[in-house]
Amino acid sequence: MKEYLENVFKKASENLDYLNEINLQFSVPQQKGFGDFSTNAALMLSKKLKKNPREIAREIIDNLPVEKEIIEKIEIAGPGFINFFFTPDFVASIVPEVLNEKELFGKSNAFAGKRAIVEFVSANPTGPLTVGHGRNAVIGDTVARLLEWVGYDVTREYYFNNAGRQMRVLGESLKFRYLQELGEEVEFPEDYYQGGYITEIAKKLVEKHGDGIKNEPAEGIFKQVAEAEIFEDIKKTLARIGIEFDEFFNEHSLYESGKIDEVIQKFKEMNLTYEKDGALWLRLTELGNEADKVIIKSTGEPTYRLPDIAYHTTKFERGYDLIVDLFGSDHAATYPDVLAAVKALGWDVSKVKVLIHQFVTIVQGKEVVKMSTRKANYVTLDALIDEVGADVVRYFFNMRSMTSHLNFDIDLAKKQSDENPVFYLQYAHARISSILRMVAGEGIEAKVDNIKLLTTEAEQNLLKKMWQFKDEIFNAAVNFEPHKVAAYLEELAAAFHKFYTDCRIIGSPKKLAEARMSLALASKHLIKSGLTLLGISAPEKM
RNA sequence: GCGCCAGUAGCUCAACAGGAUAGAGCAACGGCCUUCUAAGCCGUAGGUUAGAGGUUCGAGUCCUCUCUGGCGUACCA
């Protein structure tokens, strides 16, 4: 429908020059009486042309070469909106299209041949993933799925750091627990990792080695084992919600490959560094940022900023057309520095899209739970999945815009898992599957010969909703807004449930039954596509 | 102090580049199962979009100020 309007307006613009001067917008009006599509073109032009918008609207309409078989009625409404009403026959014509393309319907090749990298999660292996990481993981994976949907070849990458102070502390924490398991009296420092998972790993070490490694340094086997075990755990958790990474990028490799030195060298050549107080500073003020920052500490160790910069240059060197970084608002302050530095190194940072999601506030009853891996005060993502299931977790994190803070009441989540809207979507899919099973014995097939019979309000509304599918998903993808998919799917499912209640298939005259069956089947394909994009299962039975 | 994100129904959140009467779900109340799954459908109630100014045909959306919350503001990551 939208494509049709765009075409018609294009033809009209041959007569009306001014149509080329504005960005034409077609939208689906919220109010029913305002037609299937609406444009505010006349309103946008009125100031420019200094003319009454309703007169402009009239002129536009007179120049639109519309066909009667497709557009039933065009109205000028309110201050000058132009509202379009499509014919029921044309509305129904989407069914054969969907049935032809099935679950490929609505896919776009707008970005075919382009490569994208989405970096997300990127939690260091110091402990299990928390509910907070869950939001990042789910949004990141869904963004990746959406980019694939519009044609990108997508790499999912997890960046991690297994060096530095926190990992040293982790190794030492494990060694302490190990010694405790052996029965030795050691006082466990308060600022070490308190989580029970460390003790679990320690028990494994005792089983495997007895006291044979008690004199090994914490930096050695203890750190290695802790990291390996924790990483396995993280991967398992992610797999439970359908997330698999293509690459795990170790920060340390940047040192081995000489990338870090190379970057420092370039900065020095560009005279972007200076030494002060024994540290090496980067002249970020010269690049337009607020303050210069240390990139190498007086101890000789780099700050996180330096490897971050080097890491991003590798993303460019690997030839990606789109570089997506997703992280929580606590990291929001660091990326301007990284981007400025990468830009100074000559890369086109307009390829980088930084997505920042707000935090998940965990509430239990009325208490706010402050999450800290170090203090072992957190709710793991695993525990949440155990409690409510993978589909609910995926849906929950997908259904809200990432820019808003999210209050997560654990007690409520458990209580409401029965009422979660995800079941509403899945139920629609299961219902259609059920009809398909029932109908098999009745000799009713999904046939598109008589789709013109789909004229009731419920049928037409469902059909119109299906027309929006392609645009809605496309917009969600290019704007990096997974929650739009969820919102649209709820509308689609609602339209289907209404159709299901109002329009019987079994028991209707054969031609009508077949037409309705084709509509139901088409709905099934779209609901399944949507659920798959969100990473949620589409059950045949519930 | 400064910077970023937010404040919308009792609760959790939507509202597509400013568009028409601000919408859903949950919670509340009232209806609908002898026919394809009632995890559904229909209806009622619920709002000065934190507050005050401004911009214009038109503001939840843009600008200014105030209030409230989250996150930053390191030679931590």
Side-chain angles (χ1 to χ4, degrees):
Chain A
M1 298 203 280
K2 191 174 168 185
E3 283 170 23
Y4 178 78
L5 291 175
E6 281 166 352
N7 264 322
V8 166
F9 268 77
K10 203 173 173 189
K11 283 182 195 151
S13 67
E14 290 166 15
N15 290 331
L16 304 173
D17 268 350
Y18 55 69
L19 285 178
N20 293 316
E21 289 170 28
I22 52 163
N23 207 345
L24 279 174
Q25 296 172 36
F26 298 98
S27 58
V28 181
Q30 291 184 9
Q31 300 299 318
K32 276 223 168 113
F34 295 143
D36 302 320
F37 265 97
S38 175
T39 182
N40 60 354
L43 291 164
M44 292 173 75
L45 285 163
S46 77
K47 198 180 286 175
K48 204 171 268 180
L49 304 179
K50 297 204 168 114
K51 247 169 101 177
N52 183 326
R54 291 187 68 104
E55 279 173 36
I56 301 171
R58 174 46 52 200
E59 191 174 59
I60 294 174
I61 292 172
D62 290 341
N63 279 280
L64 291 176
V66 295
E67 294 138 277
K68 277 222 154 53
E69 300 74 35
I70 293 180
I71 298 224
E72 195 169 60
K73 189 169 62 167
I74 305 177
E75 280 181 355
I76 302 173
F81 292 100
I82 306 175
N83 297 335
F84 299 90
F85 298 76
F86 285 81
T87 62
D89 285 0
F90 183 72
V91 170
S93 69
I94 193 168
V95 173
E97 283 186 44
V98 176
L99 293 183
N100 264 336
E101 301 178 40
K102 300 196 173 61
E103 268 122 46
L104 297 178
F105 178 87
K107 266 203 177 179
S108 162
N109 55 7
F111 299 94
K114 303 264 184 193
R115 296 172 63 232
I117 181 167
V118 181
E119 182 214 329
F120 61 113
V121 184
S122 296
N124 288 335
T126 58
L129 295 180
T130 66
V131 173
H133 295 121
R135 186 174 203 191
N136 185 293
V138 168
I139 293 174
D141 185 60
T142 308
V143 164
R145 286 171 193 241
L146 283 168
L147 292 177
E148 284 166 345
W149 181 263
V150 295
Y152 278 105
D153 175 12
V154 179
T155 302
R156 289 167 175 77
E157 185 156 284
Y158 188 124
Y159 176 69
F160 69 99
N161 169 12
N162 61 351
R165 198 170 59 89
Q166 49 173 342
M167 293 304 290
R168 265 199 313 275
V169 173
L170 180 72
E172 279 162 20
S173 302
L174 178 58
K175 183 165 183 183
F176 273 56
R177 288 296 186 215
Y178 168 78
L179 295 175
Q180 284 179 339
E181 285 300 313
L182 290 175
E184 293 194 17
E185 289 279 328
V186 272
E187 199 179 325
F188 196 82
E190 207 173 294
D191 60 343
Y192 275 27
Y193 288 95
Q194 304 284 339
Y197 59 93
I198 304 275
T199 312
E200 293 304 310
I201 300 170
K203 282 181 183 161
K204 284 191 193 171
L205 282 180
V206 172
E207 255 174 55
K208 195 168 172 192
H209 301 281
D211 64 357
I213 54 172
K214 62 192 272 190
N215 294 322
E216 293 286 325
E219 284 269 14
I221 184 168
F222 291 99
K223 196 179 102 175
Q224 285 160 22
V225 168
E227 179 191 333
E229 291 276 340
I230 290 167
F231 239 134
E232 273 318 296
D233 202 50
I234 287 174
K235 286 180 192 172
K236 266 186 216 156
T237 304
L238 291 171
R240 291 183 72 192
I241 48 174
I243 298 173
E244 203 176 322
F245 280 89
D246 302 299
E247 301 286 345
F248 284 84
F249 195 106
N250 188 340
E251 179 187 312
H252 192 62
S253 69
L254 294 165
Y255 295 90
E256 288 163 351
S257 66
K259 204 72 222 158
I260 300 277
D261 292 336
E262 193 183 306
V263 167
I264 296 173
Q265 199 51 42
K266 279 188 185 156
F267 282 142
K268 283 186 176 164
E269 281 165 17
M270 285 187 278
N271 195 27
L272 283 173
T273 61
Y274 60 90
E275 284 191 35
K276 195 178 99 185
D277 306 328
L280 191 69
W281 294 68
L282 188 61
R283 286 186 214 276
L284 283 160
T285 46
E286 204 136 303
L287 302 173
N289 284 25
E290 295 237 330
D292 294 345
K293 292 284 163 62
V294 169
I295 51 173
I296 297 179
K297 299 187 238 177
S298 51
T299 59
E301 285 180 313
T303 62
Y304 66 92
R305 237 173 283 266
L306 181 56
D308 262 13
I309 293 164
Y311 171 50
H312 274 81
T313 65
T314 75
K315 292 185 184 177
F316 283 98
E317 285 164 358
R318 285 182 277 165
Y320 291 106
D321 302 290
L322 174 67
I323 296 168
V324 180
D325 292 355
L326 174 67
F327 42 70
S329 59
D330 56 337
H331 284 53
T334 78
Y335 80 88
D337 291 345
V338 173
L339 286 190
V342 171
K343 189 179 175 188
L345 292 169
W347 299 104
D348 174 12
V349 291
S350 70
K351 287 180 179 174
V352 180
K353 177 72 187 177
V354 177
L355 301 178
I356 294 171
H357 68 264
Q358 296 302 310
F359 268 23
V360 183
T361 307
I362 308 292
V363 189
Q364 198 146 22
K366 277 184 181 168
E367 296 273 303
V368 173
V369 184
K370 286 275 178 197
M371 306 263 268
S372 153
T373 303
R374 189 70 65 92
K375 290 180 188 149
N377 191 12
Y378 51 79
V379 180
T380 66
L381 185 52
D382 252 329
L384 182 66
I385 301 169
D386 288 341
E387 204 68 56
V388 299
D391 285 342
V392 172
V393 169
R394 290 247 2 171
Y395 198 73
F396 186 87
F397 287 128
N398 267 328
M399 68 194 280
R400 264 88 216 233
S401 144
M402 69 180 93
T403 58
S404 74
H405 300 269
L406 194 53
N407 272 339
F408 193 110
D409 187 325
I410 298 179
D411 296 338
L412 203 64
K414 290 177 198 166
K415 229 184 286 172
Q416 286 193 347
S417 61
D418 289 342
E419 320 261 359
N420 193 297
V422 71
F423 296 116
Y424 186 82
L425 308 183
Q426 294 181 314
Y427 188 51
H429 187 267
R431 272 183 147 178
I432 302 170
S433 306
S434 172
I435 303 175
L436 283 170
R437 285 191 298 269
M438 295 298 291
V439 136
E442 305 273 336
I444 300 169
E445 290 173 63
K447 281 194 188 160
V448 296
D449 311 352
N450 294 299
I451 49 170
K452 288 186 176 178
L453 298 173
L454 301 173
T455 55
T456 66
E457 198 186 354
E459 288 160 338
Q460 287 280 308
N461 283 341
L462 176 53
L463 287 160
K464 286 171 185 173
K465 228 6 120 186
M466 294 169 69
W467 277 99
Q468 293 172 234
F469 182 84
K470 191 172 183 176
D471 278 341
E472 291 282 348
I473 309 281
F474 187 82
N475 287 336
V478 297
N479 296 318
F480 308 95
E481 294 180 312
H483 75 281
K484 301 259 165 147
V485 179
Y488 168 74
L489 274 186
E490 284 184 38
E491 288 173 18
L492 181 66
F496 172 77
H497 283 305
K498 178 69 175 151
F499 160 74
Y500 180 91
T501 334
D502 286 6
C503 306
R504 297 247 131 208
I505 293 175
I506 295 172
S508 294
K510 191 163 193 223
K511 285 181 180 173
L512 180 58
E514 287 174 345
R516 285 180 173 169
M517 200 57 236
S518 68
L519 175 55
L521 189 58
S523 309
K524 186 181 186 222
H525 291 313
L526 297 195
I527 292 171
K528 176 148 192 200
S529 293
L531 288 172
T532 306
L533 272 167
L534 296 175
I536 294 165
S537 66
E540 297 291 317
K541 271 186 195 171
M542 281 176 77

